[in-house]
Amino acid sequence: MLFSSMTFLWIFLPLVLLLNWLLPRKMTNGFLVLASLFFYAWGEPVYILLMMFSIIFNWLAGRCIEVFSARKHLVLVVTVTTNLLLLAYFKYLGMLVRTFNAVLNTAGLPVLEVPQVILPIGISFFTFQALSYVVDVYRGEVAAQKHLLNVALYISFFPQLIAGPIVRYHDVNEQIDHRTVTVERFGEGVRRFVYGLGKKVLLSNIMAQAADGIFGLDISLVSGGMAWAAILLYTLQIYYDFSGYSDMAIGLGKMFGFDFNENFHYPYTSCSIREFWHRWHISLSTWFREYVYIPLGGNRQGTVCTYRNLAIVFFLTGLWHGASFSFVFWGLYHGLFQVMERVWLKAPLKKRPWAAWIYTTLVVVFGWVFFRIENFTIALSFAERMLTPWRYGQTSVIIQDYVNWLTVAVFVMGIIGMGPIQRFLGQMGAKWKRSAAEAVYLLLVFWLCIAALTSNTYNPFIYFKF
Amino acid sequence: MKKRRLIQIALIVFFVASIYLPSLLWLGTPEEQRNATTENRMLRDFPSFSLQKIETWPGEFETWFNDHIPFRSRLVNAYNKMQHLVFQVPTYTVLPGKEDYLFYNRKNDGYPIGLLTGNVMLQPELALQIVENLTTIHQEMDDAGIEFVVLLAPSKERMCAAFLPDYLQKRIVPDDQYPPLQLVNYLRENTPVRIVYPYEDLLQMQAQGFPYPLYYATDTHWNTLGGYVGSRALLEELGIHLPPLELDMVIEKGPYAGDLAFALNLTNELRNDVTYAVSLELPDVEMSEPFSPGNYDYISDSDEERRLLVVRDSYFNAMEPFVVSQFPETAVRYVTSMSYEDLEIFSPDVVVWELTERFFYQLANNPFAYVVEE
């Protein structure tokens, strides 16, 4: 079930909000767990059992770490290994077998049958959350939860279950037991939710129609201009899609009394790749920093180790996004620029902010080519069209079939909304927030989204597979 | 601070109302006043549940709910108004043109725009298949003493190309690269089949400055006037003469919103068309009850002796009164429900296969073939 679906907006959310309000406080955690499991089962009626196994297993692991503290290291190893093996099986088995087959093929040996394993929705998200819980208990940062329901709520809570943000346990453990829903918090939740819904439905989905149309063409039909149009649209599509979904998740969390950390902070205003990763999918980069980069030594063991650790983190970041070498390439591509900035780009970027912004934007935009197009050869052809558009000027495709005035208008609004208007408004922005004008604007946006969703069935969500 | 808190409360109240009230109001609306059938299709029924369907039931439920969203028609209407009237956004089905003309945009249904712009071409293999098929049909009909004529009705997109958006007009291919015309010329050169293609007749009317449109602006079809021109061309081929369409024969009937306006759910907003009638004395016609939608038998008091069977699509609707009145008995069958039995039982003297030119590839099929049932 997507947040941007009528079933969610007019059936699930009203029912869950109502019952949450009506039930006594001590019953709300259990109720929210049931609602969240139902939400997950709606999309995965079979793999709900996997979710429940993950909950019970990791809760037990936390209890064991606390009870058998002398053996906690062993418990941690077993728990992390089990979680990662599950993730590897469901998400990466096909990729591993295909890679192994490529080696066998080269050696002239018979290949293995590639298993067709269905990827459970959100497994990457809830596995990372489960690992966060276990590691936080292991580190002694938090006490193990005695109540299974509370761990279940942390892992399965529907606002952030299938698409994040990835919530670290120590960020929310207090809120699981002690939270309140105030007018201010609920109102803020409504604001964030509606802004997120608008980003997803009115901006991302419209740009997606155009971008997907062009990306769906045979590469031979794509001119240089079309390639640029598609990737620029995709650059905004993926931002508004994912940040919109994060806004909705954060907004929904607030409606139920939870404060989740921000996941995006105007990433396309970044002036370095390093800065970009402090603004883009913040919860993922924070998770990797806390649970991979720092345990590996971070930047405290010399330059070479720092670069090695960065390479590992960005390799894993790419791999986390998808079971394909194109995602791995994309991750390492970003890692490479992170290293380059540390080696010699830092000073030049600081001196020329505009040049730094152009450099960062181009790096990110080109990176999206390999993120969007899984076939590496086609991705290279696409990038070639972007780099030498004059060689690919002719096409029989009618671009207006994909890009119309609404697309252009939405694209312009997308550019304005990705950071410039916030900078421009400055103090005026503070007055706009929680004003009557904003309230009217939000209600108009909400009803426009309802009308759009009713009119359209085209509603893909990019990160759904993770 | 107090003012901001009040605003927060108001926002919450309106948001809560927005997610609860529509469903509550809908439940209170009588069944017959709920969503009108503006989509020209059957809305989904509530899916039955069983454990065997546990994986598919949520999707079926969402599909059902999407079909029965409270106030769905009005929401679609409001959104399409914004998209169409402000941004002129093409949809999967409808391409807005100039002067409120709408065109058919579907790529998987003949793709008439693609034919015009060279994105759909006549493949040599298909042309050969059509030649072989039509030659076979012609021979079989001839052996049975039946006259066989094919009528290709020019599409609106071609005849009203001047109202297409400029970016499409620039890409219109020359006549000799237009697939239906290529096919017509090829068939005339390579088969004995009689082909009626009233493109020149319609073009001539337009060139002479005929002040009335021959096609609807908001519909995929030609109107009664265009249908009359097509009928006249067909009947000429069959040796029956109707007078040329003159201004004093045209009767304006009233406003009309066509199937393309219907597809946008903007039939009130796009009621720009006018329906016309042709004032002409024709033999009286009686129509039988339909066997199924679009399939009728007619009897007229025409002096003609031949019996006519028409295999048709929806373009024949505008031709019907003019054609069926010229034959004492006419059987009209949709191409999808035509069968060999119709041919055998009705035993016509003339068979006309009418189809709109974007479906020219269907000429490779034989709707008259005798099918042995397994």
Side-chain angles (χ1 to χ4, degrees), chain A residues 251-415:
Chain A
L252 286 168
K254 287 185 189 295
M255 290 185 207
F256 293 97
F258 287 93
D259 285 319
F260 299 142
N261 290 338
E262 294 297 330
N263 209 17
F264 290 85
H265 188 58
Y266 307 112
Y268 292 148
T269 62
S270 303
C271 291
S272 68
I273 296 300
R274 195 170 176 181
E275 185 185 355
F276 176 80
W277 282 98
H278 282 112
R279 292 173 176 271
W280 177 275
H281 202 175
I282 300 168
S283 65
L284 180 71
S285 50
T286 305
W287 193 98
F288 272 117
R289 188 182 68 233
E290 189 153 333
Y291 299 110
V292 178
Y293 184 69
I294 292 173
L296 284 174
N299 60 3
R300 298 190 308 268
Q301 293 176 351
T303 310
V304 171
C305 281
T306 301
Y307 300 157
R308 178 205 68 189
N309 295 339
L310 281 172
I312 291 172
V313 164
F314 278 92
F315 169 80
L316 292 174
T317 299
L319 192 64
W320 180 89
H321 280 81
S324 158
F325 283 109
S326 66
F327 290 112
V328 173
F329 176 83
W330 171 80
L332 289 173
Y333 167 90
H334 274 264
L336 174 67
F337 280 97
Q338 285 256 7
V339 169
M340 280 168 56
E341 284 173 10
R342 284 168 195 251
V343 171
W344 56 274
L345 281 177
K346 193 172 177 180
L349 291 175
K350 251 189 171 172
K351 281 184 196 165
R352 297 171 188 84
W354 274 107
W357 179 79
I358 291 170
Y359 145 80
T360 307
T361 302
L362 286 174
V363 169
V364 168
V365 167
F366 271 93
W368 287 135
V369 173
F370 299 93
F371 188 89
R372 176 61 177 80
I373 302 174
E374 280 198 40
N375 184 306
F376 195 72
T377 310
I378 294 177
L380 282 177
S381 296
F382 198 92
E384 189 188 350
R385 278 154 170 76
M386 290 170 65
L387 290 167
T388 56
W390 52 89
R391 293 176 56 206
Y392 301 96
Q394 297 296 322
T395 177
S396 61
V397 172
I398 304 170
I399 185 70
Q400 290 90 341
D401 272 353
Y402 305 101
V403 179
N404 52 61
W405 284 116
L406 181 61
T407 317
V408 172
V410 165
F411 181 77
V412 170
M413 284 194 280
I415 294 280

